[in-house]
Amino acid sequence: QVQLVESGGGLVQPGGSLRLSCAASGNNFGISAMGWFRQAPGKQRDLVADITRDGRANYADSLKGRFTISRDNAKNTVYLQMNSLKPEDTAVYYCNAAITTDGTKWTTYWGQGTQVTVSS
């Protein structure tokens, strides 16, 4: 069984920074792309950023320049550095990953989500 576990959320003042982490754990699995989504109350879950195994990143246009996605393949971990945070960044942040356990079939796994609240 493969699991994604997020950490690093919390309460931060406007203009502050947070770094989210998401680690995949389990036995005998491979990971391709990894990403971050967010969902604010009453809204749909939207892409924040994703990154290929070789490090090519893609961002939501509105977040370019403030958020940076990165990954450590040796640790099966993806990160999201969030700077200059705004109240509208408040949401539950979810990581996901394309994972295979048999080398053939790929499945999207999701983490449980971590709350980020930007407020003074």
Side-chain angles (χ1 to χ4, degrees), residues 65-102:
R66 293 196 299 123
F67 288 16
T68 303
I69 190 171
S70 61
R71 64 188 287 172
D72 184 332
N73 292 331
K75 296 181 179 179
N76 294 321
T77 299
V78 63
Y79 305 97
L80 184 68
Q81 178 67 43
M82 305 185 292
N83 299 328
S84 302
L85 283 162
K86 305 174 181 180
E88 51 263 43
D89 294 318
T90 295
V92 178
Y93 284 70
Y94 298 90
C95 73
N96 75 352
I99 290 176
T100 182
T101 56
D102 63 5

Side-chain angles (χ1 to χ4, degrees), residues 1-109:
Q1 183 74 10
V2 179
Q3 289 186 321
L4 299 179
V5 178
E6 298 116 335
S7 61
L11 173 64
V12 63
Q13 292 186 343
S17 297
L18 279 177
R19 189 192 195 208
L20 306 182
S21 300
C22 172
S25 63
N27 295 316
N28 300 320
F29 64 95
I31 304 178
S32 180
M34 304 183 80
W36 289 96
F37 285 69
R38 69 183 184 183
Q39 187 168 20
K43 296 189 177 181
Q44 66 182 20
R45 189 176 298 188
D46 291 325
L47 174 71
V48 172
D50 55 30
I51 185 168
T52 63
R53 185 166 180 82
D54 60 359
R56 286 173 288 143
N58 172 61
Y59 296 92
D61 287 341
S62 62
L63 301 177
K64 289 179 181 177
R66 293 196 299 123
F67 288 16
T68 303
I69 190 171
S70 61
R71 64 188 287 172
D72 184 332
N73 292 331
K75 296 181 179 179
N76 294 321
T77 299
V78 63
Y79 305 97
L80 184 68
Q81 178 67 43
M82 305 185 292
N83 299 328
S84 302
L85 283 162
K86 305 174 181 180
E88 51 263 43
D89 294 318
T90 295
V92 178
Y93 284 70
Y94 298 90
C95 73
N96 75 352
I99 290 176
T100 182
T101 56
D102 63 5
T104 302
K105 178 182 177 183
W106 292 85
T107 302
T108 299
Y109 285 73

